[in-house]
Every structure is written in C-alpha cells, then in structure tokens.
Amino acid sequence: MSSSSSTSIASALALLALAAAPPVARAQGSTRAEMEAAAANVRAAAQEADTIDEAAAFMESYAADLRAGNRAAIADRYDRSGAWRQGNGDNVLEPWDRIRDIYAGARWERPASFEWRDLHYEPAGPDAVVVAGAFLWGRAEGQPPYLFSYTALLVHRDGRLRIRLEHESMRPVLAEPAH
C-alpha cells in the first residue's frame, strides 16, 4: 500500500472518529492529539474485529481437522511454549511435545461427529482472543453425543493464532430411565 493510500485511510478514519465524538467535543473543536487518539481507537477496534474474524476461521478449521482426524494439524494449533489444559478438575501446563504425542498416540480417537455450539469471541488485547462456548463430540452410532463446555485463549505466535489455554468440561451423561 502506498503512503498516500495509508495517509488517506488514516485521514478517513480520523474523520470517522471525529464524527463519532460527542457533540460537545466537536462544538469546542478538537486538537490534533484528540483526533489522533480517536483515530487510534478506530484502528484498534478494526484490529480487534480482524482478530475476531481470524479466531472464527481458526475455530471453523479446527472443527474440520477434528472431524477428519487430522492429528498433526490439531497438534500444530497449540502454542509451542505449551498450553494450559483444564477441565473436570485438571489444571496442567502441557509442553507442546506432550500435546503432539497425545494426538499422535493410539488413545486419541477422532469423534464420529463434531460441532461447535454458541461460540463467543472476546478480544483479550491486541494479539489474543478468548473463545467461549460449547461443543458436541459425536460417539458411535446409536449413542448420544457428549456435550462439553469450552473456553480457549488464542494468542498470536509465529504469525498465526495458537491455543495457549483450553478448558473443556463434559456434562455428565444422565442414565436412561428404566422401562
């Protein structure tokens, strides 16, 4: 992008910010510093929106990897410095090598189906987003899926989002009533 395009975009953002300012601020006139601060706020809001869009795409492709059983791609989503894995009373900082081994091992099986439910995204700074919601983990045919609550902290590392913290808690399966 040329510097004149960047300047034009920054000017447009500053004008938008000024237009959104309370009438008192506009009536009294705004200083250059106030306009620059308002433009910075607009840029920050745009960056948060981009991060949320990136997180939504990350979660969508994460679900596809889980459904496909793409073990390497799933492990690749985690922060190389490790990830906090929480849920059902656990609270462990797992090294990335251990996470990779879990997904590569015989004990991990892909779900029969997988579906995110009601995911919500909350910016947690310029390079992080919290994801909160639930998921259904499909089991063998004829068995109801497990329902989990889910929270994750996604952080930018190496130019992409990675999982730094993941909390999963399964709703207890209720016994079927006797007939």
Side-chain angles (χ1 to χ4, degrees), residues 124-143:
D127 290 324
V129 63
V130 174
V131 181
F135 64 85
L136 292 175
W137 183 278
R139 301 188 301 155
E141 190 174 324
Q143 296 182 349

Side-chain angles (χ1 to χ4, degrees), residues 98-119:
R98 171 81 175 115
I99 294 167
R100 183 193 58 213
D101 292 347
I102 288 168
Y103 286 111
R107 293 186 59 189
W108 187 85
E109 293 183 24
R110 76 178 191 175
S113 61
F114 185 88
E115 177 186 342
W116 292 117
R117 291 277 176 100
D118 302 318
L119 292 182

Side-chain angles (χ1 to χ4, degrees), residues 39-62:
N41 288 340
V42 170
R43 286 191 298 273
Q47 183 178 3
E48 283 182 355
D50 289 346
T51 300
I52 289 171
D53 290 346
E54 184 181 358
F58 177 96
M59 297 307 287
E60 187 176 315
S61 63
Y62 188 13

Side-chain angles (χ1 to χ4, degrees), residues 4-165:
S4 64
S5 296
S6 297
T7 303
S8 297
I9 291 171
S11 297
L13 289 173
L15 288 173
L16 284 172
L18 182 58
V24 172
R26 288 195 310 263
Q28 296 174 349
S30 296
T31 67
R32 180 177 179 94
E34 290 169 332
M35 287 181 60
E36 288 174 357
N41 288 340
V42 170
R43 286 191 298 273
Q47 183 178 3
E48 283 182 355
D50 289 346
T51 300
I52 289 171
D53 290 346
E54 184 181 358
F58 177 96
M59 297 307 287
E60 187 176 315
S61 63
Y62 188 13
D65 288 340
L66 287 164
R67 285 189 293 268
N70 189 341
R71 296 164 182 260
I74 295 165
D76 191 48
R77 293 180 175 281
Y78 289 85
D79 191 343
R80 294 306 185 271
S81 64
W84 288 96
R85 299 189 50 135
Q86 298 178 320
N88 301 317
D90 289 337
N91 183 35
V92 177
L93 178 59
E94 295 277 8
W96 184 78
D97 291 346
R98 171 81 175 115
I99 294 167
R100 183 193 58 213
D101 292 347
I102 288 168
Y103 286 111
R107 293 186 59 189
W108 187 85
E109 293 183 24
R110 76 178 191 175
S113 61
F114 185 88
E115 177 186 342
W116 292 117
R117 291 277 176 100
D118 302 318
L119 292 182
H120 301 276
Y121 302 90
E122 291 291 329
D127 290 324
V129 63
V130 174
V131 181
F135 64 85
L136 292 175
W137 183 278
R139 301 188 301 155
E141 190 174 324
Q143 296 182 349
Y146 291 126
L147 174 62
F148 286 81
S149 59
Y150 181 83
T151 308
L153 175 64
L154 306 179
V155 295
H156 275 108
R157 297 278 197 264
D158 306 320
R160 58 180 280 202
L161 286 175
R162 296 199 188 270
I163 300 166
R164 178 64 178 151
L165 178 145

